[in-house]
Amino acid sequence: MDRILVGGDIPVTLRRSGRARRMILRVTRVGGEVVLTLPSRTSMSAGRIFAESRVEWLRRTRAEMAPLQRVDHGALLPVEGRARRIAPHDGRRVELTDEALLVPQGRPAGLVVEVWLKHLAQARLVAACDRHAAVAGRSFRALALRDTRSRWGSCSHDGRLMFSWRLAMAPPQVLDYVAAHEVAHLLHMDHSPAFWAATGRLVPDYARPRDWLRQHGHELLSWRFRP
């Protein structure tokens, strides 16, 4: 992939797509990487002119991005919506208290906490999806976790649910809403009024956790667990 510099200091990664009908400039939600997608016949010079015309928007958007944060001892990491101080202890397992997330001494905090969060997310999401599926009168075939960047959950046509394990960092009602959202897709594989009505039957006040994700979801994505 080619890269150009616009505005004197903003690197832009160029990607070509045979399916793109127009130039698309975007800033990744985490890290602020700038990517310009070009239709296959669009010249690099045309792409540069387009990107240069959006320099002020690029600067403003990147400035508003959540800075990357590394999971390590001393960091305040959100767990189920509450900030906990990561600290070492002499125990053999991760322990959660009201104020802290205790990690076994001498082990890499980021990797240990990542595994622990995945287990927490699995337990919470399975329980929530089982509960909502029972109310909806449908069942799902499987539940998997990923570290996705573009979506918090998905539902396949054959009833397989997928979620971001980072939901374990969000408030419980937010995780519950995402579980209900995907279970509702077992009834309606779209975002029609019927789908939102089904979601509302599962979580009547779904607008509030949905808005929380829109406002704060990028903060969950800003955490880095691996070197």
Side-chain angles (χ1 to χ4, degrees), residues 42-77:
T42 300
S43 68
M44 186 180 298
S45 60
R48 179 185 294 276
I49 293 171
F50 175 69
E52 288 282 4
S53 72
R54 304 299 302 278
V55 163
E56 292 307 314
W57 174 82
L58 288 172
R59 293 194 195 284
R60 186 169 61 253
T61 301
R62 296 176 83 206
E64 294 171 354
M65 290 286 180
L68 294 178
Q69 303 182 80
R70 189 164 300 283
V71 176
D72 207 344
H73 296 303
L76 277 171
L77 179 76

Side-chain angles (χ1 to χ4, degrees), residues 48-116:
R48 179 185 294 276
I49 293 171
F50 175 69
E52 288 282 4
S53 72
R54 304 299 302 278
V55 163
E56 292 307 314
W57 174 82
L58 288 172
R59 293 194 195 284
R60 186 169 61 253
T61 301
R62 296 176 83 206
E64 294 171 354
M65 290 286 180
L68 294 178
Q69 303 182 80
R70 189 164 300 283
V71 176
D72 207 344
H73 296 303
L76 277 171
L77 179 76
V79 178
E80 296 191 316
R82 181 171 178 175
R84 324 280 179 137
R85 182 77 65 184
I86 300 175
H89 77 139
D90 294 331
R92 299 177 62 184
R93 298 181 180 180
V94 175
E95 294 183 13
L96 181 67
T97 71
D98 289 341
E99 304 297 334
L101 186 63
L102 304 175
V103 179
Q105 182 78 44
R107 298 180 63 187
L111 297 180
V112 171
V113 171
E114 178 181 333
V115 171
W116 183 84

Side-chain angles (χ1 to χ4, degrees), residues 128-150:
C129 290
D130 282 343
R131 175 165 39 82
H132 290 310
V135 174
R138 294 294 177 91
S139 59
F140 54 93
R141 292 188 59 186
L143 188 155
L145 299 180
R146 300 284 188 272
D147 192 9
T148 53
R149 289 290 183 271
S150 60

